Amino acid sequence: MGQSEDCFARLTGVKKHFGAVVALDGIDLEVRAGQRIGLVGHNGAGKSTLMNVLAGAYKPNEGRLSIAGREQPDYSVSRAQQLGVRCVFQELSLCPNLTVAENTRVTHRALRGPGWRGKARALITDTLDEIFPGHGIAASTLVQDLGIGQRQMVEIARAFSETETPARLVVLDEPTSSLDGHTAAQLLSFLRHAAAGGISFILISHLLGEILENSDTIAVMRDGRIVAEDRASAFNRDKLVHAMGAEESRAPVPHSAAAIKTQAAVRVRARPERQTTAREVVAHEGEIIGLAGLAGHGQTDLLRAIFSATSRRSPNVTLSGTVALVAGDRQADGVFALWSIADNITIRSLGRLTRGGLISPSREKALADHWYDKIKIRTPDMRNNILSLSGGNQQKALFARALGSDAAIILMDDPMRGVDIATKLEVYGIVRREAQSGRTFLWYTTETDELSFCDHVYVMRNGSIVADMQRSELSEAAVIQSSFKGAD
């Protein structure tokens, strides 16, 4: 098949393997100028590997890559930048000990000489203003002092900032996974406008509605291959789920155990530090409690305050039960990067894995293998390093760590970030069953659909609870309205 005249990038028969693991198994993909391609697939399907090939970070073992009409036998990260290929990574590539402006300098060699800091500040600020009006991010701030949503915004803006070479193809790996609904809408609106101006996009997302509404073409990956590709209008949610190899239950969401208990014991009382009214989060035994609102408005801070109260007293938090945390920012707060998958899962349960004062290898292996089967972690060996897993599979390991422990209270900090639809459905089912058996969940999520799994939802703004809703009162409009309550 010949390359069309408006084709900007083309992969032909691309294969990539890591030892015995085949990540890409003969990928054929063409990206036209101004085209928006939605790329979906379960965790470990090969999406991020394909992205790294386009970024120049991975060299294919077989196949050909053509960019801007020319084959690229010596393709690299610097060559990709020269050709206008940019990538927005799910696992952020920013340097945490540098400022926002200094991180911009890293990818723009033209920012040099006297006054480069001022130029970098102006460049990244202007781009942030264009994509995310009202972002509130200072270019002089250290990246490590930003919330994960703000870091994602900087990562995106850096990819679109221009000095010598304009962006021509931008690959975005779960770009909205750390953003709230309002900020995600700003980004998607910008992408539509940029595509109309001729920039091509590959959008990787596990939010199927987002893919269906913001793609011209959709490609489905499974086990390192593209198994389906067609115009977006040829797909609906059910067809996408089926092509990915998953089945989505349409059964109504049952209430958790607490919904039918009238005298359930209180497990958590927590009052946000900045709360000026009498409102507080109250979670009973067996309840699933949701935290909602715009990202960065105190939800994660509240969960961390509750978790910290397990080791030191807090006047704002009262607990009745042991606590485990599923971190949303897995790289900073979740995984132990030098440890195996099994060690990452069992670390929270060492107390019951000991025999004669020593950790029992057989008990440790049994616990890890149980969760390997139960939550379907995609790895040939649980002794492999945790970073050998895809981002979504790393998140599965964090779920296994918390749910495999003896904790009566599970805190979940937007934990479905970058997790595929099949895994989400499995985890939803596990959470529901664990709640029915008496466990209590506090669940911060930026996905409005997930709030329907909660018995009660507290909406936060500027570090305070501004609304609390029973499930029967819950709607996307009500959450959005409450999120902006008191805003200028």
Side-chain angles (χ1 to χ4, degrees):
M1 182 173 59
Q3 182 168 301
S4 60
E5 290 184 5
D6 64 345
C7 176
F8 176 72
R10 185 174 185 186
L11 296 91
T12 307
V14 169
K15 295 186 178 183
K16 180 64 181 176
H17 58 77
F18 301 94
V21 178
V22 178
L24 299 178
D25 192 13
I27 296 292
D28 296 318
L29 184 67
E30 182 177 297
V31 186
R32 300 188 305 275
Q35 184 181 21
R36 299 174 301 163
I37 295 180
L39 188 63
V40 298
H42 55 63
N43 291 123
K47 305 183 301 297
S48 294
T49 303
L50 177 59
M51 176 180 184
N52 276 285
V53 168
L54 282 167
Y58 293 165
K59 186 175 180 63
N61 297 106
E62 295 181 36
R64 300 193 307 275
L65 173 63
S66 174
I67 303 289
R70 293 187 179 181
E71 199 162 319
Q72 304 292 329
D74 300 313
Y75 196 60
S76 63
V77 173
S78 59
R79 180 63 177 156
Q81 290 284 325
Q82 292 170 6
L83 293 168
V85 179
R86 311 284 182 84
C87 291
V88 176
F89 293 92
Q90 181 185 358
E91 304 302 339
L92 304 180
S93 62
L94 302 173
C95 302
N97 60 327
L98 300 181
T99 67
V100 172
E102 289 166 345
N103 269 277
T104 306
R105 165 66 180 85
V106 170
T107 52
H108 288 286
R109 296 181 180 179
L111 296 172
R112 55 180 177 266
W116 71 263
R117 290 180 187 277
K119 295 175 184 176
R121 284 195 296 269
L123 177 64
I124 194 65
T125 300
D126 289 347
T127 312
L128 281 166
D129 288 344
E130 183 180 7
I131 304 174
F132 303 107
H135 54 83
I137 299 172
S140 58
T141 303
L142 288 174
V143 165
Q144 65 190 15
D145 294 333
L146 298 175
I148 188 170
Q150 292 176 311
R151 279 180 271 157
Q152 186 74 69
M153 292 160 69
V154 172
E155 178 94 356
I156 292 166
R158 188 173 69 160
F160 284 98
S161 58
E162 297 182 3
T163 51
E164 297 172 317
T165 305
R168 298 191 62 189
L169 168 62
V170 181
V171 189
L172 303 107
D173 190 2
E174 302 287 350
T176 64
S177 62
S178 302
L179 306 180
D180 58 60
H182 172 69
T183 314
Q186 289 180 322
L187 171 62
L188 295 171
S189 175
F190 172 80
L191 296 184
R192 286 191 293 272
H193 176 76
I199 299 178
S200 306
F201 296 99
I202 297 178
L203 176 62
I204 301 172
S205 178
H206 290 305
L207 301 178
L208 301 187
E210 185 173 278
I211 288 288
L212 289 165
E213 294 172 12
N214 297 280
S215 304
D216 305 310
T217 301
I218 296 176
V220 182
M221 289 190 70
R222 190 165 70 219
D223 299 329
R225 300 183 181 94
I226 293 178
V227 296
E229 184 179 3
D230 207 336
R231 64 191 187 281
S233 58
F235 290 97
N236 58 29
R237 187 182 181 89
D238 289 333
K239 287 182 178 179
L240 279 182
V241 171
H242 180 72
M244 290 164 59
E247 296 298 331
E248 185 168 12
S249 171
R250 293 295 184 181
V253 179
H255 289 267
S256 66
I260 58 174
K261 291 182 180 179
T262 57
Q263 301 296 325
V266 174
R267 282 262 174 83
V268 181
R269 286 187 182 275
R271 179 187 176 92
E273 190 173 337
R274 297 173 61 183
Q275 190 74 34
T276 56
T277 67
R279 278 178 170 154
E280 61 182 358
V281 171
V282 179
H284 295 81
E285 177 184 332
E287 273 190 319
I288 304 174
I289 299 297
L291 299 179
L294 300 177
H297 279 255
Q299 302 93 334
T300 296
D301 291 339
L302 180 59
L303 291 179
R304 287 178 175 174
I306 295 170
F307 188 71
S308 296
T310 61
S311 57
R312 62 176 184 268
R313 287 188 176 183
S314 169
N316 296 326
V317 180
T318 303
L319 296 175
S320 177
T322 52
V323 180
L325 170 68
V326 183
D329 188 353
R330 54 182 165 265
Q331 296 306 317
D333 303 323
V335 302
F336 294 94
L338 300 180
W339 292 10
S340 70
I341 304 163
D343 288 341
N344 268 274
I345 290 174
T346 59
I347 182 63
R348 179 62 178 75
S349 304
L350 294 183
R352 58 193 176 90
L353 299 179
T354 56
R355 179 183 295 160
L358 299 175
I359 298 172
S360 167
S362 60
R363 292 180 181 178
E364 188 177 30
K365 183 178 185 301
L367 179 60
D369 288 346
H370 170 77
W371 284 98
Y372 169 82
D373 292 329
K374 188 168 185 176
I375 209 166
K376 297 180 176 62
I377 297 173
R378 295 175 63 86
T379 180
D381 193 336
M382 292 291 280
R383 293 171 297 181
N384 287 343
N385 182 272
I386 186 72
L387 298 184
S388 68
L389 298 177
S390 66
N393 277 283
Q394 291 177 33
Q395 199 69 32
K396 289 184 186 182
L398 298 187
F399 274 115
R401 180 195 298 169
L403 296 173
S405 73
D406 60 355
I409 302 162
I410 307 292
L411 310 177
M412 306 201 304
D413 186 11
D414 205 11
M416 300 301 189
R417 189 172 66 90
V419 176
D420 63 73
I421 183 65
T423 300
K424 285 181 178 181
L425 295 173
E426 292 167 9
V427 173
Y428 296 157
I430 292 171
V431 168
R432 190 182 302 134
R433 290 191 295 274
E434 292 292 320
Q436 289 170 342
S437 68
R439 260 183 168 163
T440 301
F441 291 84
L442 272 74
W443 185 354
Y444 166 48
T445 175
T446 53
E447 296 186 31
T448 306
D449 289 348
E450 292 182 345
L451 295 175
S452 64
F453 287 84
C454 301
D455 301 300
H456 200 98
V457 172
Y458 295 89
V459 183
M460 296 188 67
R461 176 172 175 79
N462 292 331
S464 297
I465 300 168
V466 293
D468 55 284
M469 309 172 188
Q470 296 290 343
R471 189 204 300 259
S472 59
E473 303 171 295
L474 189 65
S475 70
E476 183 174 8
V479 171
I480 292 174
Q481 184 179 25
S482 297
S483 298
F484 286 93
K485 185 177 291 185
D488 291 336

